[in-house]
Amino acid sequence: MRAHVLYELQPDATLSVCVWCSGDMPTCWLVSEDDRHKPIQLLHYLTHTLGRGPETKIKDQKCSRQQVELTANCNRGFVTVKQLGSNPTSLDDVVVGKGNQVTFKPGQKLYLVNHLYPYTLLFREDSSPVSTPEDRSRAMKRARQGDAQEERDEDNAKIFRISQPSCSTSTVRPQITQSPTAVRVSAAPWNQGLKVSMQDPNMQVYKDEKVVVIKDKFPKARFHWLVLPWDSISSLKALRHEHVELLRHMERVGEHMVQQCHRSNTLHFRLGYHAIPSMSHVHLHVISQDFDSPCLKNKKHWNSFTTEYFIQSQDVIVMLERDGHVKVKDDVSELLKLPLRCHVCHKEQGTMPKLKEHIRLHLLP
DNA sequence: GTTCTAGAAC
DNA sequence: GTTCTAGAAC
């Protein structure tokens, strides 16, 4: 979806320097080899579901509306492909298989279904959506360079992480508008990442005069957004009675995000705040309850969304209206150490892999 | 917040 | 030997 309000760039506007988000990373494009449609951009680490429909112009009933799930790693130059549909998706001549995941690299061909509808990958250093024979030849060249280059890229990434801990750095492109609260950042500490991401137009999926919505950079479910106020409010502790209307607005915007989601009829969502968030700047989580995500990795992740560590938006608003502040229990962090328990049937699971396997059983097919 | 990795658990 | 967790570093 498009942002609802775009601010005009003021001549003296301070341009953000992104140390947290995608910055100078190459952009990733999925190129239809039979020229059915223009290249589709795959955003770094954001799951993109592809199948029959207007986006691909595929009408073939053998192709599911959600045939594959694609997740690009723009830093390392590959895309993971998970087959969701029943009929075979294949990478070159190898069938992926329903539920299986493979790594798709430039030079390879992905056939969406039944060895039809071929796609290739293109990684570009700029984000302009073009697809020329030169691009394709460059993509092929990159592919031919093979694993050795990938290793070098990985090494570069390692070196870069040491000097720039959060991520790559880039000035925001001048044609893109800035919010009124743009900040100058040269090397933000990791816990200031949201302040940077929320200013980045490439991350914004909605904005209005009070709030901005971004996709969580490491989503813990199929759909995971963060609603942030433009006003700098560091945490729940800083909230006062005067913020009630802002929080109500954040909740309404969160509900709006759910409503516009094509899976809102089949997925349950929760809206809430972490009792003690790691990242600075108040943010409302809007998260689908499938918890089907490779970024969901450990007990802290799980318990932060499935115990009372996750405080429902409405409860925060009620507390604020009633008491004028939000009270968080002193020992709330202990909740993060609780045994892993399924959020649907409450059955305890011994390890994260077992929990993740278990919660898949509760997913609709 | 993530990544990395030592060492515990299996 | 492999899997998994948890704590340090960033």
Side-chain angles (χ1 to χ4, degrees):
Chain A
M1 70 176 293
R2 296 273 177 256
H4 283 195
V5 177
L6 288 174
Y7 295 92
E8 294 298 321
L9 179 67
Q10 294 163 10
D12 60 346
T14 307
L15 295 182
S16 300
V17 176
C18 177
V19 295
W20 176 256
C21 55
S22 48
D24 273 348
M25 272 193 297
T27 54
C28 176
W29 300 88
L30 189 67
V31 180
S32 168
E33 283 294 301
D34 48 6
D35 284 327
R36 271 173 296 102
H37 57 82
K38 289 180 179 172
I40 298 169
Q41 186 174 10
L42 303 176
L43 296 173
H44 183 59
Y45 271 148
L46 297 182
T47 301
H48 192 118
T49 307
L50 202 70
R52 172 166 46 96
E55 187 177 30
T56 60
K57 298 184 179 167
I58 295 172
K59 294 176 181 170
D60 183 348
Q61 295 288 323
K62 300 284 184 189
C63 183
S64 167
R65 287 184 187 280
Q66 298 182 356
Q67 179 64 29
V68 292
E69 197 173 81
L70 305 169
T71 311
N73 187 324
C74 296
N75 273 330
R76 295 184 58 189
F78 66 83
V79 169
T80 57
V81 180
K82 186 176 177 184
Q83 181 185 324
L84 304 177
S86 301
N87 291 318
T89 295
S90 47
L91 190 60
D92 293 330
D93 291 326
V94 180
V95 170
V96 178
K98 191 174 181 180
N100 294 338
Q101 196 166 292
V102 294
T103 302
F104 178 23
K105 295 177 186 172
Q108 291 182 300
K109 265 189 192 164
L110 179 75
Y111 297 91
L112 212 53
V113 74
N114 290 337
H115 221 263
L116 296 169
Y117 319 114
Y119 286 93
T120 53
L121 281 181
L122 183 62
F123 286 90
R124 290 177 55 85
E125 296 302 324
D126 67 82
S127 59
S128 55
V130 289
S131 170
T132 64
E134 285 172 3
D135 291 328
R136 296 191 191 191
S137 114
R138 234 178 275 133
M140 291 296 290
K141 188 179 172 188
R142 185 170 177 150
R144 278 196 299 273
Q145 286 169 344
D147 292 343
Q149 180 62 49
E150 187 180 321
E151 279 171 25
R152 280 195 295 278
D153 289 344
E154 190 176 3
D155 286 342
N156 288 339
K158 278 176 187 166
I159 292 162
F160 199 80
R161 272 199 292 276
I162 292 164
S163 56
Q164 294 282 342
S166 295
C167 181
S168 52
T169 304
S170 166
T171 49
V172 171
R173 284 182 286 281
Q175 73 272 23
I176 294 170
T177 56
Q178 286 294 300
S179 79
T181 52
V183 290
R184 187 187 296 277
V185 183
S186 55
W190 62 264
N191 62 355
Q192 303 295 310
L194 288 181
K195 290 182 196 291
V196 181
S197 291
M198 65 184 275
Q199 304 291 343
D200 180 357
N202 294 323
M203 305 287 279
Q204 298 163 349
V205 292
Y206 169 95
K207 59 181 168 181
D208 60 28
E209 71 284 2
K210 290 183 176 174
V211 301
V212 59
V213 182
I214 59 175
K215 284 186 180 182
D216 193 296
K217 193 166 157 59
F218 298 91
K220 302 302 183 291
R222 290 177 183 172
F223 302 95
H224 187 180
W225 295 285
L226 305 177
V227 185
L228 304 108
W230 288 119
D231 284 347
S232 182
I233 304 170
S234 61
S235 71
L236 292 183
K237 276 184 183 176
L239 290 172
R240 294 294 176 265
H241 198 276
E242 71 207 56
H243 295 117
V244 166
E245 194 43 51
L246 174 63
L247 265 67
R248 284 199 190 117
H249 182 73
M250 288 169 68
E251 187 176 292
R252 280 196 296 271
V253 169
E255 295 286 6
H256 168 75
M257 296 308 297
V258 174
Q259 291 310 313
Q260 60 82 45
C261 173
H262 69 283
R263 294 296 305 275
S264 62
N265 53 343
T266 52
L267 288 173
H268 178 55
F269 284 78
R270 289 183 80 208
L271 282 69
Y273 300 84
H274 279 154
I276 305 173
S278 300
M279 307 298 282
S280 184
H281 201 104
V282 161
H283 52 283
L284 172 67
H285 290 270
V286 179
I287 183 166
S288 58
Q289 297 296 292
D290 50 88
F291 295 113
D292 179 20
S293 165
C295 299
L296 182 83
K297 292 179 177 173
N298 58 45
K299 183 178 270 192
K300 185 178 175 182
H301 291 158
W302 180 254
N303 284 333
S304 72
F305 286 101
T306 59
T307 69
E308 289 176 22
Y309 194 89
F310 187 84
I311 311 175
Q312 301 227 68
S313 170
Q314 290 187 359
D315 293 342
V316 170
I317 293 171
V318 166
M319 260 189 276
L320 216 49
E321 282 176 323
R322 189 189 58 207
D323 308 327
H325 63 273
V326 180
K327 174 75 178 165
V328 172
K329 288 176 189 164
D330 292 338
D331 58 349
V332 73
S333 296
E334 293 302 305
L335 295 171
L336 299 176
K337 299 173 189 170
L338 287 172
L340 299 167
R341 205 171 276 286
C342 171
H343 63 313
V344 178
C345 68
H346 308 294
K347 196 174 168 192
E348 192 173 320
Q349 303 294 324
T351 63
M352 276 305 290
K354 281 177 182 156
L355 173 75
K356 295 192 71 159
E357 189 184 341
H358 172 84
I359 60 176
R360 290 185 74 84
L361 301 174
H362 292 300
L363 289 178
L364 288 171

